[in-house]
Amino acid sequence: MRYPDGQTRTLDTVRHLERSWGLYLPRPVQPNHSNREWLLVDNHYDGRVLLYALASWNDDDATDYLAAGWWLIYPPDVPYWAFQSATRGVFLDGPELNPARPPDLPLTGTATYVGGAGGLYTYQYGRAWGELADSSEYTEFAGQVSLTADFDQNRLTGCIGCVGQIETAPGRHLFPAVPWQGDDPEALPTDYDLHFEASFGVNGAFADTAITVTHPDRAITTSAGTWQGQFSNVPDVDGNPRRVIGTTDVHFAEDDGSQGRFTGIFDALTPATITPPGGNGASME
């Protein structure tokens, strides 16, 4: 990980392992894959570093893996639960995202992608919330992401929350910064929809600020932020990149002065790559 001043810090599972588990993860949707979570901590003189990593790998091919997660960099003498004082970020890594080996994108047609998204949701209350006004709450969120790639136009559109509602998931991945099964905020992330658009290049990478946040009961006045990511360089059985993976940092404001933020990661696969319930799934070759 890289500090804001350019310094780097490396954590590994030999010296910095705090905890590792696989009890709470859903089963991998790709055939013959396994996954696991790690929590790493470096309690350093210059400040504490907390890192969460989730990895998925092909049991028959050690070079076929994907890792994603988040990190927090705390100033000296700041307790780990005061994460709002820490610098935070997310990361993604894996051979199929290697920029030196870009995907062979189709020249025509479309492809759909579905998967999961999650991260940190924060909400600062405006004047309509009475005693909560000017205070803030946070929790972990989880939801479904749906994407459509138009290879004729080199255009990617998508949404988090349009297929299934965004839900709270306190402590699922952001423990110990977010308490396990902690109380939900008064302003739930449910019913927010995050809409995205981006152009992608021949290297399969995209980055854009075209973001719209909607809610059926709250008047959204502004939406801003970034979303960026990469197509996989591994094709599915139809010749399309088998997945799209990326990060989001979405800010929005409402007419009563309330402000919200979604910071997270998404990973979406083509239906041809996903194991159907009770089935053997499609081949990844």
Side-chain angles (χ1 to χ4, degrees):
M1 70 191 65
R2 185 176 297 276
Y3 280 69
D5 62 4
Q7 296 184 68
T8 59
R9 180 75 60 81
T10 300
L11 276 67
D12 62 60
T13 56
V14 176
R15 293 181 298 170
H16 304 110
L17 180 64
E18 186 74 17
R19 187 172 300 178
S20 177
W21 62 97
L23 292 174
Y24 309 110
L25 288 171
R27 71 178 182 89
V29 296
Q30 290 177 265
N32 208 40
H33 274 61
S34 301
N35 57 22
R36 194 165 184 83
E37 298 170 296
W38 289 267
L39 184 66
L40 309 180
V41 177
D42 184 8
N43 193 26
H44 194 269
Y45 172 82
D46 293 333
R48 194 189 321 268
V49 176
L50 191 151
L51 185 147
Y52 162 83
L54 165 63
S56 171
W57 62 90
N58 187 334
D59 294 330
D60 294 331
D61 183 0
T63 67
D64 181 9
Y65 70 87
L66 182 68
W70 55 271
W71 46 260
L72 298 172
I73 300 174
Y74 294 82
D77 301 321
V78 173
Y80 72 82
W81 60 82
F83 83 94
Q84 290 175 308
S85 299
T87 301
R88 65 192 189 214
V90 295
F91 66 88
L92 305 163
D93 185 43
E96 62 185 298
L97 306 177
N98 187 349
R101 295 175 50 231
D104 185 13
L105 297 177
L107 299 178
T108 61
T110 62
T112 60
Y113 297 84
V114 293
L120 189 68
Y121 164 75
T122 57
Y123 192 90
Q124 181 174 347
Y125 294 96
R127 57 183 177 274
W129 289 89
E131 294 181 355
L132 289 174
D134 298 324
S135 66
S136 61
E137 291 186 288
Y138 63 89
T139 189
E140 189 175 353
F141 78 90
Q144 295 186 56
V145 60
S146 55
L147 302 169
T148 300
D150 184 336
F151 296 110
D152 293 272
Q153 302 295 324
N154 290 340
R155 196 72 179 162
L156 183 67
T157 58
C159 179
I160 298 174
C162 294
V163 179
Q165 294 181 332
I166 298 175
E167 299 178 344
T168 60
R172 180 179 297 180
H173 299 301
L174 300 182
F175 175 84
V178 177
W180 174 253
Q181 296 183 335
D183 293 335
D184 283 338
E186 189 71 20
L188 292 169
T190 304
D191 292 331
Y192 284 107
D193 292 342
L194 315 180
H195 300 265
F196 308 99
E197 294 185 31
S199 297
F200 53 84
V202 294
N203 63 351
F206 57 91
D208 212 314
T209 58
I211 296 170
T212 303
V213 180
T214 62
H215 191 284
D217 301 317
R218 300 174 190 163
I220 310 295
T221 56
T222 60
S223 306
T226 60
W227 78 298
Q228 56 191 338
Q230 174 74 47
F231 284 86
S232 168
N233 59 24
V234 179
D236 67 9
V237 293
D238 297 321
N240 297 311
R242 71 177 181 180
R243 75 178 350 129
V244 181
I245 191 166
T247 64
T248 62
D249 191 8
V250 178
H251 305 253
F252 63 91
E254 298 171 353
D255 63 348
D256 71 336
S258 298
Q259 299 181 53
R261 182 179 181 183
F262 290 89
T263 304
I265 297 172
F266 62 87
D267 179 18
L269 295 151
T270 61
T273 309
I274 300 173
T275 308
N280 295 321
S283 169
M284 293 190 298
E285 301 297 326

